[in-house]
Amino acid sequence: MRILVTGAAGSIGQVVMVGLADRGHTLVGLDRLPSPEGYDDSWHTADCADADAVADVFAAQPLDAVVHLAGHPGEASLPDSLTSHVVTTAALLDAMLEHGVGRIVYASSNHAVGRTPRRDLVSTDARPRPDTFYGVGKVAAEALLSLYADRHGIDAVACRIGSFQPQPESTRQLSTWLSHDDCVRMVEAALSAPAPGFAVLYGISANTRAWWDLAPGRALGYDPQDDAEEFLDTIPTAEADAAEAAYVGGAFASESFHRPALDRA
Ligand code: 15L
């Protein structure tokens, strides 16, 4: 497949670029950062929120699919969050329609349901319960993907990623960890699942203490192989703060992340 990866210079992007290339795909990187060594001919430096720039990227070479990883990974004002997560997705979807590209895999986040109290396994059917404006942006981006799937027949898989790390580093991450190898497995499955329409999966490894249901991902062909429990001995024993442990979004759901929606002069 010829795949455009946005946010290709980011932490997930770098791993996905290498992992998909190793699996025989042809990769095109798109990022606001300039191309790293080795990608000169297959890299576009542009902002995904700029619809004209994105249209130019699609006109430059044929593509079969998009893996949309670009976006600010933390909390911001509501307008900035909507630009980072929704406007970028909209620019890509419009360009996909124009150029007949039929599939997008989206890096959504566990923070789309982060304000769900910590109790039972959270399913993909649970109501969106964002914990931040970041989470609101992810929920809204998922809604946009759903609209383009229904209205235009785009295949769109939203991967609600947990904690993408080389290895888990906290008690929470024993539940939320997504290993690098499983991340590549997840993206590959989301790219190749037959006719998913609009689908949501949770992007975590096969963690013994998982908080999110892996069944929808497995139904799409995602077969995670790693388990954070293997790193139990390396995790600091400090108890998580009660506020952080109350919701699946962890610190994002705590008061320390409260801020006004809009920045004022
Ligand atoms: C995310 O979606 C964030 O981008 C990242 O900063 C972490 O907070 C991660 O989730 C997580 O929940 O560990």
Side-chain angles (χ1 to χ4, degrees), residues 73 109-111 134 161-163 172 252:
S109 167
N110 74 86
H111 298 290
Y134 171 74
I161 295 173
S163 305
R172 176 175 181 267
F252 276 46

Side-chain angles (χ1 to χ4, degrees), residues 14-217:
Q14 292 178 48
V15 168
V16 165
M17 288 287 281
V18 172
L20 292 181
D22 286 350
R23 285 165 155 77
H25 296 289
T26 301
L27 281 305
V28 177
L30 169 57
D31 205 292
R32 291 191 296 193
L33 296 177
S35 75
E37 220 172 295
Y39 286 110
D40 291 351
D41 297 336
S42 53
W43 193 273
H44 299 271
T45 303
D47 188 339
C48 290
D50 178 342
D52 292 324
V54 169
D56 288 347
V57 169
F58 276 71
Q61 71 284 290
L63 294 166
D64 301 309
V66 174
V67 177
H68 182 25
L69 307 173
H72 175 56
E75 182 60 321
S77 72
L78 182 62
D80 285 351
S81 296
L82 295 178
T83 299
S84 186
H85 308 298
V86 186
V87 174
T88 58
T89 305
L92 290 162
L93 286 165
D94 279 348
M96 288 171 63
L97 284 186
E98 193 181 334
H99 291 271
V101 180
R103 175 148 327 201
I104 182 167
V105 175
Y106 178 58
S108 186
S109 167
N110 74 86
H111 298 290
V113 292
R115 194 66 199 212
T116 310
R118 267 284 308 111
R119 260 196 312 270
D120 307 322
L121 199 66
V122 184
S123 87
T124 50
D125 295 334
R127 84 165 158 93
R129 232 166 156 177
D131 52 22
T132 41
F133 300 123
Y134 171 74
V136 169
K138 293 301 188 185
V139 170
E142 288 187 7
L144 191 66
L145 294 171
S146 173
L147 173 67
Y148 275 64
D150 289 341
R151 191 184 265 179
H152 302 291
I154 294 269
D155 283 315
V157 180
C159 304
R160 292 180 179 164
I161 295 173
S163 305
F164 177 80
Q165 300 276 1
Q167 63 180 70
E169 291 175 357
S170 65
T171 303
R172 176 175 181 267
Q173 289 179 10
L174 289 171
S175 303
T176 65
W177 184 53
L178 174 65
S179 74
H180 286 190
D181 288 347
D182 281 339
C183 181
V184 176
R185 289 183 187 106
M186 173 192 79
V187 171
E188 169 93 26
L191 283 168
S192 46
F198 172 70
V200 176
L201 64 81
Y202 286 111
I204 54 173
S205 286
N207 302 324
T208 301
R209 307 182 192 203
W211 290 344
W212 297 291
D213 189 3
L214 276 164

